[in-house]
Amino acid sequence: MSDTSPSISNVRKPEDNTLTAMLQVHNEEHRYLEEVLKDLSTYVDHIVIVDDASTDRTVEICKSFEKVIKLVQLPESLFAEEWKLRSILWQAAASTSPDWLLAVDADELYEERAKRNIRGLINQNRYDSVSFRLYDLWGSRQYYREDDLWQAHKGATMTLVRFFKDYPYFYPQMQHHVPRLPLTCSALPGLTTDLRIKHLGWSGPLEERVEKYVRYKKMDPEGRWGNLAQYESILDLKPNLLEWKEED
């Protein structure tokens, strides 16, 4: 019996692709959410959000943006079972029949050069995933951290993927630090770029970093899902910082 299902190559569109951003949120009212959604709205076509049982104005902020086409509100938080949260977000995004999906955290901004190039990255039929350089801005938006434990920007973080309806997708059953895209996306033909993402999560005052340190140690006291040495390094008072410079 012949296989009549379309091959991946036959469903690739080299032009007129839509871009859908997807993100999970929880109590983001006083953080970066409004800025992130405003920025996303300038270069994506649609936004899909899963709210992890927020108790502040997060949902109201999300609803105020026209490009948010789907908003799932969870009645109880799944933060301690992050793989379930990621899976719900993926399913919500997949239900909108996207061409490409951009997995964004609520404290991330893409640099201007990346935003200018993103249409070219999705309107081609050679690659099905794209990776970027993720920079951890530290203590302000003027510096990023670089040392043995903080060097994500030296590697590649896959955040952009072409969606195939019949392709198998799954997340590893991890409680924390779950990959933002399904593991099976790594088998797709991918492109690694030097385009950059600004991670703002560590750019606030010391008090915010201490709060995150306490949360990580409580969630993962044995370092099962992360790196204990990296958790401890959050409290470094004089980390190695390099100046962040915008690229034209």
Side-chain angles (χ1 to χ4, degrees), residues 189-204:
L191 173 68
T192 297
T193 74
D194 64 351
L195 302 173
R196 305 182 302 172
I197 305 171
K198 297 181 283 188
H199 177 216
L200 307 178
W202 305 104
S203 66

Side-chain angles (χ1 to χ4, degrees), residues 39-74:
D39 190 60
L40 282 172
S41 295
T42 66
Y43 67 96
V44 307
D45 299 295
H46 309 295
I47 302 172
V48 173
I49 299 174
V50 169
D51 176 71
D52 188 37
S54 291
T55 57
D56 61 3
R57 294 182 57 255
T58 292
V59 169
E60 182 180 339
I61 292 171
C62 293
K63 289 181 176 180
S64 70
F65 286 86
E66 292 184 1
K67 289 194 174 180
V68 175
I69 61 169
K70 192 177 187 69
L71 174 60
V72 177
Q73 296 176 247
L74 302 183

Side-chain angles (χ1 to χ4, degrees), residues 128-139:
D128 299 321
S129 69
V130 182
S131 297
F132 299 81
R133 307 295 184 185
L134 181 69
Y135 284 73
D136 290 301
L137 303 191
W138 204 273

Side-chain angles (χ1 to χ4, degrees), residues 10-209:
N10 288 337
V11 295
R12 289 189 178 118
K13 290 166 51 182
E15 59 186 5
D16 299 326
N17 284 284
T18 58
L19 177 60
T20 300
M22 63 177 195
L23 61 160
Q24 59 194 44
V25 297
H26 174 75
N27 287 348
E28 311 285 350
E29 177 185 358
H30 300 296
R31 302 189 74 244
Y32 309 101
L33 178 61
E34 192 162 7
E35 179 183 5
V36 168
L37 291 178
K38 186 178 297 184
D39 190 60
L40 282 172
S41 295
T42 66
Y43 67 96
V44 307
D45 299 295
H46 309 295
I47 302 172
V48 173
I49 299 174
V50 169
D51 176 71
D52 188 37
S54 291
T55 57
D56 61 3
R57 294 182 57 255
T58 292
V59 169
E60 182 180 339
I61 292 171
C62 293
K63 289 181 176 180
S64 70
F65 286 86
E66 292 184 1
K67 289 194 174 180
V68 175
I69 61 169
K70 192 177 187 69
L71 174 60
V72 177
Q73 296 176 247
L74 302 183
E76 296 182 1
S77 176
L78 290 176
F79 190 70
E81 298 177 284
E82 190 183 354
W83 70 274
K84 291 184 180 180
L85 187 56
R86 290 285 186 190
S87 297
I88 291 172
L89 175 59
W90 179 265
Q91 292 163 9
S95 72
T96 66
S97 300
D99 289 328
W100 282 79
L101 288 168
L102 182 68
V104 184
D105 283 350
D107 57 3
E108 292 177 348
L109 297 171
Y110 281 70
E111 67 173 343
E112 292 300 319
R113 188 166 62 100
K115 290 186 286 186
R116 288 199 304 270
N117 282 276
I118 205 160
R119 287 290 156 177
L121 293 173
I122 68 172
N123 284 319
Q124 47 77 33
N125 57 6
R126 180 176 180 182
Y127 301 105
D128 299 321
S129 69
V130 182
S131 297
F132 299 81
R133 307 295 184 185
L134 181 69
Y135 284 73
D136 290 301
L137 303 191
W138 204 273
S140 74
R141 300 193 185 192
Q142 295 180 313
Y143 300 94
Y144 64 91
R145 182 166 179 173
E146 179 177 295
D147 53 43
D148 290 342
L149 295 170
W150 298 87
Q151 50 181 309
H153 55 280
K154 292 186 176 181
T157 300
M158 185 194 305
T159 63
L160 179 62
V161 67
R162 192 191 306 266
F163 179 73
F164 296 108
K165 179 180 178 181
D166 298 317
Y167 188 74
Y169 297 102
F170 73 91
Y171 285 92
Q173 295 188 18
M174 300 168 59
Q175 292 180 2
H176 304 292
H177 304 300
V178 180
R180 64 179 74 198
L181 290 172
L183 282 182
T184 42
C185 291
S186 62
L188 297 170
L191 173 68
T192 297
T193 74
D194 64 351
L195 302 173
R196 305 182 302 172
I197 305 171
K198 297 181 283 188
H199 177 216
L200 307 178
W202 305 104
S203 66
L206 176 61
E207 292 78 9
E208 289 184 4
R209 297 196 294 278

